[in-house]
Amino acid sequence: MSLNRVAYELESKIKVERVSLRGPGVLILTGPSSCGKGEVASALSKVMSIPQDAHLSMGEILRNTFQKAKNDKSYAKLLAENYKLSADSNIFDCVDTTEDLTKKVLNYLPEMQVYFKRQDMDKFTSQLEWLEFCTMNGLLVPNRWTQDFIVAHIEHNPSFKVNPFILDGYPRTVKAAQHLIAFLRRFNIPVIKVLHLSISKQEMLSRATKRGRADDDETSLLSRYQFYIENVHPSVDYLKTELGSDVIALVDAHQPVYKQIGEQKIFDLEKSILNVVSSSLRSLGVSRMTVKDLLDQLSNNEK
């Protein structure tokens, strides 16, 4: 038997079920709305042995911050001392106070009084109360808060300083990218890779329309794509300049797979996501054979 034949038979008997990243380090996923960041990040977490709580999405962090500040005194103290955000700071008289913000808060005063069951909120509404109200009602919070909540969440968990984690959907602006890189360098956390998931405007519109969310009207979707062009894309360019081009990987997030059912071709979402995950793993230096094994294992586990 030839040496090549022996190697082939050995390779066919060895199956790689998981790979792992050696920490510390962060894997950043970015891209336009509806490009599948969350799904790809979740799949990468599974095949790279990254715990579920180490997959950080901007939306999830914002949703959890006010609850965590209520229930964890050490986290509330960190927010107050390091980031000037607390339940004791009045939104009408704090570092974030502006005329526009004050008007915005007062506009929602009747709804807030019902939500919090308090009638004096025109005199005192805490920063964290405003955060909770915004989060529960889909309103935007001050940009500084978004930046600080992300890094506060990382700073508060010692595991993120020694083990790898995934940051999904952040940063979204050059300023946020600058803030994040400065923080990561302060804590000696390297950026493993920036996976820039790319889809066309037309594909984004198509995916979002199929998703059927109430806020996915064409005007809102076009506005989100314009935000991506004007803000998210420049933030990736900044990361490329700051970290080096080898750290940035452009990944085609539109790799559709269709299955034949009778005479119809039906879009196979699971296999389409696996194609994007495959490209992402390859950009991380994982061999084709190992990628195949990992995705076979992931597909079997999902069944």
Side-chain angles (χ1 to χ4, degrees):
M1 184 181 293
S2 70
L3 184 61
N4 286 342
R5 178 67 177 170
V6 171
Y8 173 79
E9 290 192 353
L10 282 173
E11 190 176 62
S12 67
K13 292 177 182 178
I14 297 172
K15 294 293 182 185
V16 179
E17 294 187 356
R18 290 198 176 188
V19 294
S20 62
L21 293 171
R22 292 180 181 176
V26 56
L27 181 62
I28 296 174
L29 271 73
T30 188
S33 174
S34 303
C35 70
K37 294 183 291 292
E39 292 86 348
V40 173
S42 179
L44 288 173
S45 296
K46 292 174 183 176
V47 299
M48 293 192 299
S49 306
I50 294 177
Q52 186 175 353
D53 62 0
H55 167 199
L56 310 181
S57 74
M58 185 171 71
E60 195 63 30
I61 288 175
L62 290 177
R63 284 188 287 273
N64 289 341
T65 294
F66 68 85
Q67 290 289 359
K68 195 173 180 181
K70 285 180 182 179
N71 301 322
D72 187 331
K73 290 182 179 179
S74 67
Y75 185 64
K77 183 179 179 182
L78 175 74
L79 286 179
E81 292 182 353
N82 292 9
Y83 300 99
K84 295 182 174 61
L85 289 157
S86 79
D88 297 323
S89 293
N90 191 351
I91 196 70
F92 301 119
D93 184 23
C94 68
V95 66
D96 303 299
T97 304
T98 63
E99 186 177 341
D100 286 343
L101 179 58
T102 297
K103 285 181 180 178
K104 184 176 180 180
V105 177
L106 291 175
N107 282 340
Y108 285 98
L109 193 61
E111 293 91 335
M112 284 198 299
Q113 289 174 336
V114 171
Y115 181 87
F116 290 105
K117 299 178 181 177
R118 271 181 41 216
Q119 295 302 309
D120 61 343
M121 302 197 76
D122 58 327
K123 297 180 176 61
F124 185 92
T125 295
S126 78
Q127 289 170 309
L128 293 184
E129 284 175 326
W130 179 240
L131 168 67
E132 178 174 349
F133 183 79
C134 287
T135 303
M136 299 305 291
N137 290 277
L139 304 176
L140 294 177
V141 300
N143 288 334
R144 181 183 80 85
W145 293 13
T146 302
Q147 294 173 182
D148 285 348
F149 290 147
I150 296 287
V151 298
H153 188 86
I154 298 169
E155 182 178 354
H156 187 253
N157 190 330
S159 173
F160 297 146
K161 300 182 186 73
V162 294
N163 295 313
F165 62 96
I166 293 177
L167 194 50
D168 162 13
Y170 187 86
R172 287 165 49 81
T173 65
V174 171
K175 188 175 180 180
Q178 292 169 336
H179 184 266
L180 176 66
I181 293 302
F183 168 81
L184 293 173
R185 284 175 174 164
R186 181 156 58 93
F187 285 92
N188 297 314
I189 301 172
V191 176
I192 299 167
K193 205 81 172 180
V194 177
L195 300 177
H196 183 190
L197 305 185
S198 175
I199 56 173
S200 67
K201 178 167 66 175
Q202 193 56 46
E203 179 58 24
M204 185 210 75
L205 290 170
S206 174
R207 292 186 184 193
T209 301
K210 290 174 184 175
R211 186 170 57 182
R213 275 184 5 190
D215 60 341
D216 280 345
D217 60 274
E218 186 171 352
T219 301
S220 297
L221 293 171
L222 290 174
S223 176
R224 279 181 230 161
Y225 195 81
Q226 193 61 31
F227 180 90
Y228 163 72
I229 295 297
E230 295 177 358
N231 294 277
V232 180
H233 209 290
S235 76
V236 177
D237 290 339
Y238 166 79
L239 292 173
K240 185 176 182 178
T241 300
E242 194 69 17
L243 303 173
S245 58
D246 58 323
V247 178
I248 313 297
L250 182 64
V251 178
D252 181 4
H254 181 51
Q255 301 185 48
V257 176
Y258 297 90
K259 53 188 174 185
Q260 193 77 34
I261 299 181
E263 296 182 357
Q264 282 189 313
K265 280 188 176 181
I266 306 297
F267 177 67
D268 191 323
L269 176 61
E270 180 187 320
K271 288 186 178 178
S272 299
I273 290 172
L274 289 181
N275 275 351
V276 182
V277 173
S278 173
S279 297
S280 300
L281 288 168
R282 293 285 293 126
S283 74
L284 289 166
V286 182
S287 71
R288 290 186 184 278
M289 185 60 70
T290 301
V291 167
K292 182 180 182 304
D293 288 347
L294 292 172
L295 297 190
D296 284 347
Q297 183 68 22
L298 180 63
S299 184
N300 290 335
N301 289 341
E302 295 293 331
K303 291 177 180 178

